[in-house]
Amino acid sequence: MDFGVCYYPEHWPEDRWAQDAAQMRETGISVVRMGEFAWSLFEPERDVFHWDWLGKAIDVLAGEGLKVILGTPTAAPPKWLIDERTDILAYDSQGRPRQFGSRRHYCFSSSAYRDETVRIVTKMAERFGLHDSVIGWQTDNEFGCHDTVRSYSPAATMAFREWLAEKYTDIDCLNQSWGGVFWSQLYRDFAEIDLPNLTVTEPNPSHVLDFFRFSSDQVLSYHRVQVNIIKSLSPGRSIYHNEMGHFTDFDHFALGAEVDVMGWDNYPLGFLDQEPYADNDKRRYLRQGHPDFAAFHHDLYRACAPKWGVLEQQPGPVNWAPHNPAPLPGMVRLWLHEAAAHGADIGSVFRWRQAPFAQEQCHAGLLRSDGMPAPGLSEVKQCVEEQISLTPDSVMSANVALLFDYETQWMSECQPQGDWSYLMMAMGWYGVARSLGLNVDIVRMGQDISNYALVLTPSLFHITPPGLQAFKQTEAALLFGPRSGSKTAHFSIPDELAPGPLQALFPAKVVRSESLPDWWQATGLFAGETVTGRHWLDHIEGDVAPLVTSDEGDGLLYHHGSAFMFATCPDDHFLRTLIQSLLRERGVETTKLPDGLRQRVTDQYKYLFNYGASPVSLPTDEDTPLYGEDPLRPGGVAIFSRGDVL
Ligand code: GAL
């Protein structure tokens, strides 16, 4: 893994740059990511370009042997441009233009903005594309951050109509697919269709789903505009984009097909604070982050592209969550080691030096705002020194796969029912498997899953023919969560009822579904233990017998052959017990790890990460670790060589 840092030379006097570059090199950093917010300096007025300062900064860094990933500056179009072309602005769901004054105020569908993008990216790539030190380009910055994938602008309305016309060709086909006969919503022409916002009550969910799909496609086609220019003017350089955590508004598998390195930005503490984790977890992991947050995203983005990495790693407190605690000593080192253990190509910290001005002045850097070292700096250095040679090839294929599906997330959002969150459920299932010491691969629907012992599908609303085919072709145990196969591609109930096409593997029907309040729970017995289901209850009839029945007599878990289906959302204990028993039957042993401890096994090393709040004794059956003390303190990392094991 290369170590990197995000650096904004434009924030500091030029006579500081050489010292920064030397200190980066001494720390063991080899890649610097820069440039992504500097449009108003690059082009202070139309067609007046100032590239020399960036050229000088790159040369100073190159003087210390540092390589550069350049970000295109399109996440922050400057004021003069917005004043000239107001049709660039995105609109929020309340129909208001999103104003200049922060960032990401553009609409992906604005053709004016696409023209301006071509102009600035071309100029930048002409100027720096062949520079020896430029090894890669990041398109834009965090597509979709600040809720910007879905824009409700006039430009988006026009583009959506075109997208629909291309998809359906015939307006009657759209009417039929959306069920437009309901509430008098038959259209005569694609030109009549508006965006699904500002309606009196719930808009047609098929309309919403298509708008979500359209919005995702707009991100991709916008990204492609930049990639085509960069590829032609900067040959041989890698294309990066930095994705976010907990973010599903566009299809990341599709974007992954159009980058060389799928980057993501790892902010474990901010996300623990702002996302709906259990209160207990928020307390327990305040300064560590949720133990599965980083790993889930590492494995998700690893599944998207041939290479992946962390482009922004939290270095200390951030500024943007409601509360921003400091990480425990050692966490920056732990997070970077964990990225390496999952096969990251790069681990880059955001940012080099804390800015004393503007929006992110409460956000730590590796240096404090006065230029002196902050705690993260020595942790990066230590991690570099401890780095063992791990290549992406050392990432072993796992016994367990978890199927993640962006459309299922969109379908669950376009007609919300109860407290059901697909993303949190997928992360929860992933965490349960990891708490058993398992490596987990994340896969997409239709991917070959024949090499796994167990495939976890927390839910999958619509099952495509290739998806069904892949399920049929594996001997793995298949474990499905509720609502699987419950919708058609157009978001209707399938004629044959849920689980739709899965009936080929699981001969039963869901004849009634209930969403239930937070306090509801159903308990039953499984393997001699009390297990609990929550949030949801499917009533299943057919040629399948319940494996677990609730005290009230409702089936909670059914199976047929190697297909298992939950009628409810299982609690962790229920799921863990089932996973253990299914894997045991297939010869895969599992160990329940102590609370907060996580493990990752590569072909030659075994890593232990202590996210917990208490010290943990190291396993006695291992040799002395290469790194890590016994007991392993909270925030500690232990690395064992498995050289002899294999
Ligand atoms: C990311 C973003 C960076 C910076 C950072 C602060 O979302 O890409 O530009 O704002 O957050 O944590």
Side-chain angles (χ1 to χ4, degrees), residues 11-24:
H11 296 178
W12 312 105
E14 198 179 316
D15 59 12
R16 171 78 191 205
W17 297 353
Q19 184 185 336
D20 285 339
Q23 204 174 0
M24 287 174 195

Side-chain angles (χ1 to χ4, degrees), residues 253 262 264 292-305 308 338-339 341-344 395-396 398 400 402 404 406 430 434 438-444 447 599-600:
F253 289 123
M262 189 78 168
W264 84 281
D292 302 307
F293 167 79
F296 175 84
H297 291 94
H298 293 334
D299 287 336
L300 175 61
Y301 297 133
R302 177 165 65 84
C304 292
W308 70 278
E338 194 172 33
H342 284 251
V395 174
M396 303 196 322
V400 176
L402 179 132
F404 188 76
Y406 286 91
Y430 173 89
R434 270 189 100 224
L438 295 160
N439 282 1
V440 180
D441 286 346
I442 293 186
V443 297
R444 67 190 86 178
Q447 187 176 327
Q599 127 180 339
R600 175 83 191 165

Side-chain angles (χ1 to χ4, degrees), residues 38-57:
W39 193 337
S40 68
L41 281 179
F42 292 152
E43 191 184 15
E45 52 191 290
R46 181 172 289 283
D47 292 332
V48 176
F49 294 100
H50 292 181
W51 301 113
D52 287 354
W53 66 270
L54 183 62
K56 267 191 218 161

Side-chain angles (χ1 to χ4, degrees), residues 215-287:
S215 302
S216 175
D217 282 359
Q218 294 301 89
V219 174
L220 258 84
S221 65
Y222 177 75
H223 167 77
R224 210 169 294 138
V225 166
Q226 302 207 7
V227 173
N228 290 341
I229 299 167
I230 296 166
K231 285 279 179 200
S232 77
L233 295 174
S234 191
R237 273 64 170 187
S238 296
I239 303 287
Y240 297 72
H241 183 74
N242 56 333
E243 317 303 337
M244 292 175 285
H246 278 259
F247 190 76
T248 51
D249 287 0
F250 64 87
D251 181 346
H252 289 56
F253 289 123
L255 189 94
E258 307 199 23
V259 296
D260 297 304
V261 186
M262 189 78 168
W264 84 281
D265 298 344
N266 184 21
Y267 292 98
L269 303 193
F271 279 99
L272 181 78
D273 190 71
Q274 78 174 19
E275 299 297 325
Y277 289 99
D279 280 350
N280 238 350
D281 286 349
K282 290 196 181 206
R283 235 169 271 139
R284 218 168 4 161
Y285 302 126
L286 176 75
R287 298 183 185 281

